[in-house]
Amino acid sequence: MKIQKIVSLLLALGLSGLLSAQDASVIINADQGKHQISRHIYGHFAEHLGRCIYDGFYVGADNETIPHTDGVRNDIIQALKDLKVPNLRWPGGCFADTYHWKDGVGPQNERPTIVNRWWGGTTEDNSFGTHNFLNLCEELGAEPYLSANVGSGTVQEVIDWVQYTNHDGVSPMADWRRANGREKPWAVKYWGVGNETWGCGGNMTAEYYANIYRQYATFMPGWSGSAKIERIASGASGNDYHWTETLMKNVPHELMEAVALHHYSVLSWSDKGPDVGFSEAQYFKTMEESLKMEEFVTRHSTIMDKYDPEKKVALFVDEWGGWYDGDTEKGVLYQQNTMRDAMIAGAVLNIFNNHAERVKMANIAQAVNVLQAVILTDAEKMLLTPTYHVMKLYNVHQDAILLPLSVETPDYLLDGKKLPALSVSASRDTGGAMHVSLVNIDAKKAHSTTVSIHGNDLKTVKGSILSSASLQDHNTFDNPDKIAPKDFKDFKVKNGVLTVNLPPFSVVVLEIE
Ligand code: AHR
């Protein structure tokens, strides 16, 4: 009777989120892990777009107000090191198929300018080029991923770029690199062969691109003394299964180490909705779009399995994230990052983890000041977004062994539509610790979730949580720590079963030993 009264009171006060339905369960087979979660699933992307490179990462070698290393902000370097960023894709995006790398090396006063035709038509001075990017990756301990120009470039340009960055013997390009101040090659492993070649990369058909790809890939060998390179075919957008099928069928697999896939969580390309101040219906739709990643990855993988049952060719989701109308005043594709973005990050990263056997890399778009950024800057100020915090909580999964699991999830209901409220992934790291990441995307309801683990004791359980009072909540330059992970203790262990109370729109990561 007493409990009923409390329930009615909470409902009357609109505090249904404080009520937990005992309706979710997870079973983890901790003794059956087989596949490693590539750390590269936690990759990032930095394009010459808006304020990502210039006035984002790069504030200029002569800057006297913002502390930097060779022009790259020290606070960004430190934040990305803390995040254990495993790789960084550059220079685009659409920009990549307009970029001529030779214009960005050598003495600054001899570099031509470039008009950024896709992103605002701004004129760039090419002061951030190959050396800056590859040295930055070295500093971060991240693998560089260079996206080569196929749309408006030449095969020779790409051959030269590979030779410039990777050849350690005597050659015209390696000698030029030395003359420009870099003795040792950088040994760049990841090479994209064009970007969105179905669109901004050349508006090609899949069949035409498959032939072009074969031509480029033929001339992109590894060079002596460098790591073997991986060539990544420009991939499908969302559900374009014909694209993946055509590549898998027509490109000899010894020429292609990975096929890409792009998917943005966008309400509609003509009306993307606000970054902050969105309705619950808009939130629901964003999550619906985000969760489509499960279907896309599954179906593209099924096609790949047909042609490559041994899974030698990887799937790289090298652009993903939320895309809203944002703050156009501040620059192209600048947007705030709220708890909605934390939900996207948590749910989509769980999808990638659970597909670790085929998905070997993913790159959230983008690292700084663009789209679903992990870092925002304003002059000398910098903040870490909710997405940053989710990725940091999840980096315990990097290179860990994926543990198979099953989830019984309640639905998140809105206006007669439903989505699975919960998503989960689990892994065991090299030290033997198990990590479970749980996301409750339900905007109103907490979900009490039982977690049964086969093949692992529950000696110690520790947790962290990212949550906030409102879905709209975000960090600002005046209040940069409003959203940050906290210790999580709302769980109990009874008879070997863990019960976790997941608040509405929250991400919880548990460590179990
Ligand atoms: O990330 C922004 C843009 O989205 C990229 O340049 C392009 O590849 C995609 O369409």
Side-chain angles (χ1 to χ4, degrees), residues 73-117:
R73 292 178 72 127
N74 289 344
D75 50 3
I76 291 186
I77 292 175
Q78 192 54 51
L80 292 180
K81 276 186 180 171
D82 294 345
L83 192 53
K84 297 197 177 136
V85 43
N87 68 70
L88 192 56
R89 178 173 180 252
W90 176 85
C94 295
F95 179 80
D97 284 287
T98 63
Y99 183 64
H100 300 283
W101 70 270
K102 289 179 185 173
D103 296 344
V105 300
Q108 179 61 50
N109 58 2
E110 291 171 17
R111 296 186 191 180
T113 57
I114 176 171
V115 176
N116 193 333
R117 74 177 295 275

Side-chain angles (χ1 to χ4, degrees), residues 45 47 49 89 92-96 118-119 195-196 198 200 262 264 269 319 323 333 365-366 370-371:
F45 171 35
E47 180 168 12
L49 195 177
R89 178 173 180 252
C94 295
F95 179 80
W118 290 114
W119 307 115
N195 168 74
E196 297 195 351
W198 41 262
C200 63
H262 288 182
Y264 285 98
W269 287 105
E319 285 185 33
W323 192 327
L333 306 190
Q366 298 192 7
V370 167
L371 299 177

Side-chain angles (χ1 to χ4, degrees), residues 44-58:
H44 292 261
F45 171 35
E47 180 168 12
H48 288 236
L49 195 177
R51 292 173 48 243
C52 182
I53 298 294
Y54 297 110
D55 197 25
F57 274 96
Y58 191 68

Side-chain angles (χ1 to χ4, degrees), residues 128-203:
F128 188 91
T130 298
H131 287 248
N132 309 69
F133 176 69
L134 296 180
N135 292 345
L136 164 65
C137 288
E138 219 165 52
E139 174 70 29
L140 294 174
E143 292 274 0
Y145 170 178
L146 291 176
S147 194
N149 181 346
V150 168
S152 70
T154 62
V155 177
Q156 188 61 48
E157 245 181 295
V158 181
I159 296 175
D160 286 349
W161 208 8
V162 178
Q163 195 185 88
Y164 188 91
T165 58
N166 286 9
H167 189 47
D168 65 357
V170 172
S171 78
M173 290 300 119
D175 292 349
W176 192 27
R177 181 190 71 231
R178 290 187 193 99
N180 287 331
R182 172 75 187 199
E183 177 59 36
K184 265 182 20 200
W186 290 276
V188 178
K189 183 171 175 187
Y190 297 108
W191 290 85
V193 182
N195 168 74
E196 297 195 351
T197 45
W198 41 262
C200 63
N203 279 310

